[in-house]
Amino acid sequence: MGVRLMVVDDHRLLAEALASALRLRGHRVLAAAAPTGGAADLVVSRAPDVCLFGTAAPAEPGVFDPVARIRRERPQVAVVVLGPVPNSPGIAAAFAAGASGYVRHDERIEGVERAMAQACAGETAVAPQLLQAVFTELLNPVAQPDDEGQRLLGLLTPREAEVLARIAEGEDTRLIAAGMCIAPSTARTHVQRVLVKLGVGSRLEAAALAARTGLLDHAAARGLLTGMPKGPDPRE
């Protein structure tokens, strides 16, 4: 038995192509429209069984506002999102807005039909592997730059943090040793330990990693670089 549905996508060509394919398979397509921003008005007025909501940017703020409105004003309409993968934040946002399912853009038409049937039956339409990816990311979030800088700083001793700061200043082993009043051999040992702990293969990589993650800013905020000489005042 065919499903009464609407297809909306930011790309009209994609919406119309999917609508045509579903018509050929016996479904009643009430409309194929773009962009998704106007989907809520259309769905609320036509009240289909299912709305296929296609988006290329599921993690963008506000992209699922139309879904939330549809679910609020037409709770009987099941919304199935068609989106890119991997995109765990986008999948989570879709369900938080009230979507009944999430199907990847490259799914076969049979997979879309299966998701529609599940959504119409009141089931959650999402592939197990996609759901697993969401839970994995929620349980093991990717560190953001600030978090990564804090984490890396936690691997270093205060003296190693100073060595890294001197590496970032372009000091060689001789200058590091002189500035810290230690033997060159000790300075070399500190440098090697810094490289190993940061998981990099060269001083240049270490300096780049420190700059990218804000590691030295965190070190300075903790007062770990008080022994570092200050550069010339640009106002002088």
Side-chain angles (χ1 to χ4, degrees):
M1 180 178 177
V3 174
R4 293 174 63 257
L5 66 108
M6 294 179 59
V7 183
V8 292
D9 196 292
D10 286 331
H11 300 283
R12 182 174 295 276
L13 185 62
L14 294 180
E16 292 178 350
L18 181 56
S20 295
L22 290 169
R23 283 193 188 98
L24 290 174
R25 299 177 75 87
H27 300 288
R28 183 183 174 193
V29 181
L30 303 182
T36 54
D41 289 336
L42 198 56
V43 173
V44 168
S45 66
R46 303 293 295 273
D49 298 323
V50 175
C51 170
L52 296 179
F53 186 96
T55 176
E60 288 293 318
V63 71
F64 292 123
D65 287 352
V67 176
R69 183 186 161 200
I70 291 168
R71 294 299 293 161
R72 184 171 61 250
E73 298 187 25
R74 291 287 188 180
Q76 73 276 20
V77 176
V79 180
V80 176
V81 173
L82 307 178
V85 174
N87 199 309
S88 297
I91 297 173
F95 284 107
S100 300
Y102 191 104
V103 178
R104 54 191 298 162
H105 268 145
D106 59 355
E107 180 62 80
R108 297 173 64 89
I109 192 68
E110 293 84 0
V112 176
E113 285 187 299
R114 186 163 52 249
M116 291 194 307
Q118 290 175 318
C120 284
E123 301 173 12
T124 300
V126 58
Q129 61 268 31
L130 299 190
L131 203 55
Q132 182 178 9
V134 173
F135 281 123
T136 298
E137 186 159 324
L138 289 175
L139 295 173
N140 303 284
V142 176
Q144 297 301 312
D146 282 350
D147 298 331
E148 184 69 357
Q150 295 272 24
R151 184 187 72 80
L152 292 173
L153 181 59
L155 301 176
L156 306 178
T157 65
R159 180 146 277 203
E160 289 165 351
E162 182 179 346
V163 168
L164 177 59
R166 292 179 179 276
I167 289 173
E169 289 291 328
E171 294 185 8
D172 59 18
T173 301
R174 179 182 58 80
L175 288 175
I176 292 173
M180 298 180 67
C181 300
I182 56 178
S185 59
T186 303
R188 277 193 294 273
T189 298
H190 282 314
V191 170
Q192 286 304 311
R193 285 177 177 169
V194 168
L195 299 185
V196 169
K197 288 184 177 182
L198 296 183
V200 295
S202 70
R203 299 183 185 210
L204 184 61
E205 289 181 63
L209 180 62
R212 187 171 70 250
T213 61
L215 188 159
L216 295 178
D217 291 334
H218 291 304
R222 292 190 192 180
L224 300 180
L225 306 180
T226 54
M228 287 287 295
K230 294 182 177 170
D233 190 330
R235 296 170 295 180
E236 296 179 354

